[in-house]
Amino acid sequence: MNKPKLGFAMCGSFCTHKNALLVLRELTVDYDVIPILSFTAAETDTRFGTASLLRETLTGICGCPPVQTIAEAEKFGPSQPLDLLFLCPCTGNTLAKLAHGVTDTPVTMAAKAHLRCDRPVLIALASNDAMSANLGNIGTLLNRKNVYFVPMKQDDPVSKPHSLVADFTKSCDCLTAMTEGRQCRPLFLES
């Protein structure tokens, strides 16, 4: 029996990549995973690791290289559909683009291509401005058909009072709920 095809799209929240990769390893048991990288995630070296190491790690886990261009991501519409798309982590920048229909990275193109076929997208947000500049974008996407969120919490309410980060440990349950048309709740967790 074929496994469902899952797009696993990573954005540039580099401090959460370690948690995202742990989730990815779990998901490969039940899903045929296609990795997708934003331009920032694919090209930026940080104190959390190099871009080349991230690409190599994704290739090793998924058995295929990550999608890194808009042209490659466009195929996830009608021609080569995914069953599910998971943005993990999704930055505030990408969240804003999704809320306003901006398609200028492989991740936003994958989301556009996927959503135009009425297929579900799960977002694991990691944003320092989620409860300020991006709060309206969260609300916009909560009202959009086929968009779901992994429950989130403040990761550091004192030093980063506007920041929210998804509880990555809830990702697998959220994917299951999403396939049933349910949003996991509560959406906002205690820190």
Side-chain angles (χ1 to χ4, degrees):
M1 186 167 128
N2 291 337
K3 295 179 183 180
K5 192 182 296 184
L6 171 69
F8 190 88
M10 294 182 73
C11 299
S13 176
F14 300 102
C15 61
T16 62
H17 280 186
K18 181 178 177 182
N19 290 333
L21 291 171
L22 291 173
V23 170
L24 175 60
R25 283 183 170 84
E26 284 183 52
L27 294 174
T28 58
V29 173
D30 296 317
Y31 298 94
D32 178 16
V33 182
I34 309 297
I36 305 161
L37 289 174
S38 70
F39 292 132
T40 301
E43 300 168 359
T44 307
D45 295 339
T46 72
R47 64 186 170 104
F48 299 103
T50 64
S52 62
L53 179 59
L54 177 61
R55 293 189 306 269
E56 289 170 22
T57 301
L58 288 171
T59 301
I61 294 170
C62 299
C64 62
V67 169
Q68 298 178 69
T69 69
I70 291 172
E72 287 177 293
E74 189 174 14
K75 69 184 177 190
F76 298 129
S79 66
Q80 293 181 23
L82 300 167
D83 295 302
L84 307 166
L85 180 61
F86 186 18
L87 281 59
C88 181
C90 178
T91 60
N93 185 49
T94 296
L95 187 81
K97 291 176 181 186
L98 294 173
H100 295 282
V102 176
T103 307
D104 63 354
T105 72
V107 171
T108 56
M109 176 52 82
K112 175 187 175 181
H114 190 72
L115 285 167
R116 74 179 176 167
C117 297
D118 286 329
R119 293 191 183 90
V121 173
L122 179 63
I123 296 172
L125 185 63
S127 173
N128 287 327
D129 69 349
M131 294 193 305
S132 56
N134 257 308
L135 191 57
N137 295 323
I138 293 170
T140 296
L141 290 170
L142 281 171
N143 283 314
R144 190 153 306 154
K145 182 181 175 184
N146 291 318
V147 177
Y148 300 84
F149 283 84
V150 175
M152 55 197 109
K153 61 186 172 186
Q154 288 185 273
D155 55 317
D156 186 351
V158 174
S159 299
K160 300 189 306 183
H162 304 285
S163 179
L164 288 175
V165 175
D167 182 345
F168 291 95
T169 65
K170 297 186 180 301
S171 297
C172 293
D173 290 341
C174 292
L175 279 168
T176 299
M178 181 177 74
T179 63
E180 298 168 354
R182 293 184 298 109
Q183 168 64 57
C184 284
R185 303 220 183 257
L187 185 58
F188 300 103
L189 306 170
E190 287 189 45
S191 298

